[in-house]
Amino acid sequence: MKHYLIYIASLSLLFSSSCGSLSAPSVQPRLYNITRSIDAGDGAQVQGDDGTAKMAATIAPYKAQLDAKMNRQLATLATPLTKDGAESTIGNWMADLMMAAAKDRFPGKDIAFATANSGGIRVREIGTGPLLVSEIYEMMPFDNELVLLDLSGAEMKAFISHIANSGGWPVSEELSVQLKNDKLMVRVSGKEIDPDARYLVATVDYVANGGSGSSMVKGKPQVSSNEKVRDLLIEYAAKATAPISVKAEGKRMSLR
């Protein structure tokens, strides 16, 4: 006996958004046991292989739309994006795009830097060549939103120490964390952190709500963009006007 998952409802919802953005479907797939004769649920009878073919034909238009969206080329990678070490090319690229998106979504705000937990990146490498929408989904399959965290200088130091003690996270180019003589040297846009100042950090809601051990920022003031980081990565990756080449030289995170 064969089992077939029917995603018709889910796929329909996937493309129902008027703005055309992709989002994870919330409807659970329905499971049908295909035998020689089975009630399809609408009064019709599905007969063996012919019924399977009919269902495949029903799904085909939705699958074609999904394939077209997921296989859309956003840009070209001149060098691979890899997840390796405290500072990585995939992390640098992602954090810089998050920073660019945060500046646009929160105009007039002085944002210190952008960061996300390294565990949120679910691939080890995206190879050179066409960068596809599907690869962004594989890289970040979660529905995390971009938020701004409002931290005091002291809270900022504690948060950055946590990032360093976690082995390093993706951070945008504004932040530099260097371990020298067992002491962390932290600079934000070339300046030391002022313990009496306030800082805005662009990150994912998962982290802002205390995820990945970030209890020191849980409950701190935050403002949501109401946009998924994954969708923003897709949007801003498509803005590239030349093949993407990213370096990881330890200027952001050097913890050895």
Side-chain angles (χ1 to χ4, degrees), residues 147-152 155 198-201 203 208-209 216-224:
V147 302
L148 281 189
L149 265 177
D150 186 342
L151 304 175
S152 69
E155 291 164 349
R198 304 292 303 183
Y199 293 90
L200 295 175
V201 178
T203 188
N209 293 327
M216 72 293 300
V217 300
K218 185 177 182 179
K220 304 303 178 185
Q222 61 175 271
V223 181
S224 177

Side-chain angles (χ1 to χ4, degrees), residues 67-89:
D67 287 346
K69 286 183 176 289
M70 296 301 280
N71 292 326
R72 179 167 65 91
Q73 181 174 343
L74 301 170
T76 300
L77 296 181
T79 55
L81 296 175
T82 60
K83 181 182 177 182
D84 183 27
E87 181 181 334
S88 68
T89 55

Side-chain angles (χ1 to χ4, degrees), residues 20-94:
S21 62
L22 293 170
S23 59
S26 59
V27 176
Q28 294 297 317
R30 296 178 63 185
L31 182 66
Y32 290 89
N33 294 327
I34 306 302
T35 61
R36 292 184 61 85
S37 178
I38 183 169
D39 187 348
D42 60 359
Q45 292 291 317
V46 178
Q47 300 292 335
D49 292 339
D50 181 58
T52 303
K54 287 181 180 179
M55 280 186 280
T58 302
I59 295 169
Y62 299 100
K63 181 180 183 300
Q65 292 180 58
L66 181 61
D67 287 346
K69 286 183 176 289
M70 296 301 280
N71 292 326
R72 179 167 65 91
Q73 181 174 343
L74 301 170
T76 300
L77 296 181
T79 55
L81 296 175
T82 60
K83 181 182 177 182
D84 183 27
E87 181 181 334
S88 68
T89 55
I90 199 169
N92 287 359
W93 176 75
M94 182 179 99

Side-chain angles (χ1 to χ4, degrees), residues 177-197:
V177 182
Q178 308 290 318
L179 182 62
K180 296 181 179 179
N181 299 321
D182 295 326
K183 182 179 180 181
L184 285 180
M185 308 296 291
V186 179
R187 298 288 186 274
V188 177
S189 295
K191 299 179 181 179
E192 293 185 11
I193 295 175
D194 181 352
D196 298 319

Side-chain angles (χ1 to χ4, degrees), residues 4-255:
Y4 294 88
L5 286 173
I6 307 305
Y7 289 94
I8 296 173
S10 298
L11 288 167
S12 298
L13 287 176
L14 187 63
F15 298 108
S16 63
S17 171
S18 60
C19 64
S21 62
L22 293 170
S23 59
S26 59
V27 176
Q28 294 297 317
R30 296 178 63 185
L31 182 66
Y32 290 89
N33 294 327
I34 306 302
T35 61
R36 292 184 61 85
S37 178
I38 183 169
D39 187 348
D42 60 359
Q45 292 291 317
V46 178
Q47 300 292 335
D49 292 339
D50 181 58
T52 303
K54 287 181 180 179
M55 280 186 280
T58 302
I59 295 169
Y62 299 100
K63 181 180 183 300
Q65 292 180 58
L66 181 61
D67 287 346
K69 286 183 176 289
M70 296 301 280
N71 292 326
R72 179 167 65 91
Q73 181 174 343
L74 301 170
T76 300
L77 296 181
T79 55
L81 296 175
T82 60
K83 181 182 177 182
D84 183 27
E87 181 181 334
S88 68
T89 55
I90 199 169
N92 287 359
W93 176 75
M94 182 179 99
D96 285 345
L97 290 192
M98 288 175 59
M99 185 66 171
K103 287 179 177 180
D104 288 344
R105 267 52 182 185
F106 301 101
K109 298 291 186 182
D110 186 12
I111 303 171
F113 68 96
T115 187
N117 58 311
S118 58
I121 300 177
R122 309 303 287 184
V123 297
R124 300 300 304 180
E125 179 176 316
I126 301 177
T128 57
L131 175 64
L132 307 180
V133 169
S134 60
E135 292 177 301
I136 305 298
Y137 267 76
E138 291 171 6
M139 170 187 166
M140 180 170 280
F142 309 110
D143 288 340
N144 298 132
E145 292 185 359
L146 179 71
V147 302
L148 281 189
L149 265 177
D150 186 342
L151 304 175
S152 69
E155 291 164 349
M156 178 91 142
K157 285 186 175 181
F159 182 43
I160 293 173
S161 292
H162 169 61
I163 290 173
N165 290 332
S166 299
W169 288 2
V171 298
S172 61
E173 61 181 351
E174 291 77 14
L175 181 65
S176 173
V177 182
Q178 308 290 318
L179 182 62
K180 296 181 179 179
N181 299 321
D182 295 326
K183 182 179 180 181
L184 285 180
M185 308 296 291
V186 179
R187 298 288 186 274
V188 177
S189 295
K191 299 179 181 179
E192 293 185 11
I193 295 175
D194 181 352
D196 298 319
R198 304 292 303 183
Y199 293 90
L200 295 175
V201 178
T203 188
V204 297
D205 57 348
Y206 171 73
V207 168
N209 293 327
S212 283
S214 303
S215 58
M216 72 293 300
V217 300
K218 185 177 182 179
K220 304 303 178 185
Q222 61 175 271
V223 181
S224 177
S225 67
N226 295 313
E227 293 188 73
K228 295 180 177 61
V229 173
R230 180 182 59 236
D231 292 343
L232 292 171
L233 293 179
I234 291 170
E235 176 184 342
Y236 281 76
K239 294 178 183 290
T241 57
I244 297 169
S245 181
V246 183
K247 295 181 179 179
E249 302 173 319
K251 293 180 179 179
R252 307 184 191 194
M253 282 275 165
S254 181
L255 304 176

